[in-house]
Amino acid sequence: MIEKVPNSAQALPHKLVDQFGRQVDYIRLSITDRCDFRCVYCMSEDMTFLPRDEVLSLEECARLVKVFVRLGVSKVRITGGEPLVRKNALWLFEEIGKLKNLNELVLTTNGSQLEKQAQNLKNAGVKRINISLDSLDATRFKTITRTGELDKVLRGIQAAKLADFDSIKLNTILMRGFNDDEVLSLVDFAIGQAIDISFIEEMPLGDVNHTRESTFMSNIDTLKLLQSKYPLIASVETTGGPARYWRVADAEGKSNTKIGFISPHSHNFCESCNRVRITCKGELYLCLGQEDKIDLMPILRSHPNDDAPLVEAILASMAIKPKGHDFDIRRNEPAVIRFMSHTGG
Ligand code: SAM
Ligand code: SF4
């Protein structure tokens, strides 16, 4: 039983360690399930979004992050849905940016709002930024995102470069029949912009309008293709996540652009999992690909001035963190029915 914990900035003596000895020091917080895009791998054509009162307030988000940081979390990623379409989202970034024991505040965005917000986010303390980009062809970009404007995202990328984040990384999902022929042009673009790029294998989350097997592109094939064009140097760098990295060597043999592969199918990365996810409803999911979760919203709302029950629930959740996901694209049904936009990518 944990003693009553006052709301203070002090670190707690407890760390988040699960039954397999993995320490959780990274949280991904989705601050909205809404989005201005409807990417074909992420959402179905007709989405129903949560009513406002079922979504954590920004103050509740800030409180949760503070508690996790007191429990040893040193990295926070804000995601969604599209986090930057949430009204006043900047306030939350500013609050989190002030936390002393936090090493890294990072963001995943579709880039549509960056033209206006990049500099403010940098000023708030956002260190690194991931921008999703699946095509450099405007018509195709619209097909994949259903509603997105490529130009706006490209302007957002330029604004992010001007704001001078520690790193900017593109996130690309390759889908057979959609954008599988753009591997080289996307990497050329990243090299030209002096930014990084990661290829993410599509995961079977949510009931979208295609079978995942029909669009599956293995990162093994993508890497082979890239190796035939670029001198790639395997890198031992890690951001503490599942990505495996390669560097593109330049003419002097020095390496610059980093190419990452996040391969839940061709390379299982669960053994070193250091993260948990919190949805915009306050559900704490212990694994992206499993249903194990606890609901933090009722605890937050019934104890507005006492963090002890929250701390106790979060510590207890470590006992149910699963060993790993069991994604299988051949199953032809989602591994979990919730959409990526609900859980937060
Ligand atoms: N809207 C923001 C964006 O698109 O970057 C943040 C949320 S989005 C859910 C986070 C990441 O999840 C994006 O990079 C997106 O490409 C990825 N994603 C969405 N659905 C996915 C799926 N079914 N499999 C793998 N990655 C997915
Ligand atoms: Fe929106 Fe991001 Fe999902 Fe695309 S991947 S629909 S941008 S939440």
Side-chain angles (χ1 to χ4, degrees), residues 30-33 50 54-56 278-282 297 342:
S30 166
I31 62 170
T32 179
D33 61 335
L50 293 165
E54 286 183 28
V55 173
L56 293 175
I278 304 156
T279 69
C280 59
K281 282 175 81 166
M297 187 187 271
H342 177 108

Side-chain angles (χ1 to χ4, degrees), residues 88 117 155 163 165 188 220 254 295 301 309 324 326 345:
N88 293 332
Q117 303 216 32
R155 289 199 300 275
F165 291 98
D188 280 340
I220 296 173
K254 288 197 217 106
D295 282 321
R301 294 195 174 167
D326 51 9

Side-chain angles (χ1 to χ4, degrees), residues 308-342:
L310 204 53
V311 168
E312 190 171 348
I314 295 168
L315 284 168
S317 75
M318 289 297 107
I320 59 161
K321 184 167 166 60
K323 194 165 182 195
H325 70 72
D326 51 9
F327 291 148
D328 181 357
I329 47 161
R330 288 160 306 184
R331 240 191 269 149
N332 264 344
E333 59 187 32
V336 292
I337 48 166
R338 61 184 193 277
F339 291 99
M340 185 67 131
S341 55
H342 177 108

Side-chain angles (χ1 to χ4, degrees), residues 32-43 79-83 108-110 132 134 144-145 340-342:
T32 179
D33 61 335
R34 289 163 198 253
C35 186
D36 50 344
F37 292 3
R38 297 282 184 281
C39 302
V40 290
Y41 48 74
C42 178
M43 294 193 178
T79 180
E82 175 45 44
T108 302
T109 173
N110 65 21
S132 299
D134 302 313
I144 294 172
T145 60
M340 185 67 131
S341 55
H342 177 108

Side-chain angles (χ1 to χ4, degrees), residues 83-321:
L84 301 183
V85 299
R86 174 122 191 216
K87 210 169 153 214
N88 293 332
L90 186 63
W91 174 85
L92 179 66
F93 286 96
E94 287 168 345
E95 281 301 293
I96 301 174
K98 288 181 207 155
L99 296 177
K100 289 225 170 48
N101 293 327
L102 185 70
N103 290 340
E104 271 203 306
L105 170 58
V106 296
L107 161 71
T108 302
T109 173
N110 65 21
S112 70
Q113 310 300 311
L114 275 181
E115 195 179 6
K116 289 176 281 172
Q117 303 216 32
Q119 190 60 59
N120 292 336
L121 291 162
K122 173 75 185 8
N123 296 346
V126 174
K127 291 265 193 315
R128 296 190 292 112
I129 186 161
N130 288 355
I131 306 172
S132 299
L133 182 70
D134 302 313
S135 177
L136 290 165
D137 175 280
T139 310
R140 237 186 222 188
F141 186 85
K142 175 73 90 207
T143 306
I144 294 172
T145 60
R146 293 197 182 102
T147 58
E149 300 288 340
L150 175 65
D151 271 1
K152 213 170 163 191
V153 173
L154 294 179
R155 289 199 300 275
I157 294 172
Q158 294 314 315
K161 283 179 66 181
L162 280 175
D164 204 20
F165 291 98
D166 289 0
S167 84
I168 301 173
K169 180 163 71 81
L170 303 176
N171 273 348
T172 300
I173 312 260
L174 292 173
M175 299 172 75
R176 202 166 357 122
F178 281 84
N179 60 347
D180 49 329
D181 55 350
E182 286 198 61
V183 177
L184 297 177
S185 51
L186 283 159
V187 169
D188 280 340
F189 175 76
I191 292 172
Q193 297 295 320
I195 58 182
D196 298 328
I197 182 164
S198 278
F199 292 98
I200 307 173
E201 285 176 350
E202 186 182 355
M203 300 176 220
L205 303 171
D207 202 358
V208 292
N209 301 69
H210 60 270
T211 64
R212 312 293 181 154
E213 197 178 9
S214 66
T215 50
F216 180 65
M217 273 279 292
S218 166
N219 269 343
I220 296 173
D221 298 333
T222 305
L223 176 60
K224 273 194 204 137
L225 175 63
L226 287 171
Q227 280 171 323
S228 70
K229 162 109 197 258
Y230 302 101
L232 293 186
I233 301 168
S235 167
V236 290
E237 291 162 272
T238 168
T239 50
R244 290 176 158 190
Y245 291 105
W246 298 72
R247 288 265 178 189
V248 184
D250 61 16
E252 283 98 47
K254 288 197 217 106
S255 43
N256 37 45
T257 286
K258 197 162 70 168
I259 306 182
F261 296 92
I262 301 175
S263 318
H265 305 288
S266 44
H267 161 64
N268 187 299
F269 43 66
C270 303
E271 211 171 273
S272 56
C273 183
N274 63 343
R275 64 203 54 196
V276 293
R277 291 175 160 84
I278 304 156
T279 69
C280 59
K281 282 175 81 166
E283 298 150 309
L284 172 62
Y285 276 101
L286 285 310
C287 171
L288 176 63
Q290 303 283 3
E291 302 290 1
D292 308 73
K293 65 156 180 171
I294 59 167
D295 282 321
L296 298 176
M297 187 187 271
I299 310 176
L300 271 166
R301 294 195 174 167
S302 51
H303 303 278
N305 301 311
D306 178 10
D307 286 343
L310 204 53
V311 168
E312 190 171 348
I314 295 168
L315 284 168
S317 75
M318 289 297 107
I320 59 161
K321 184 167 166 60

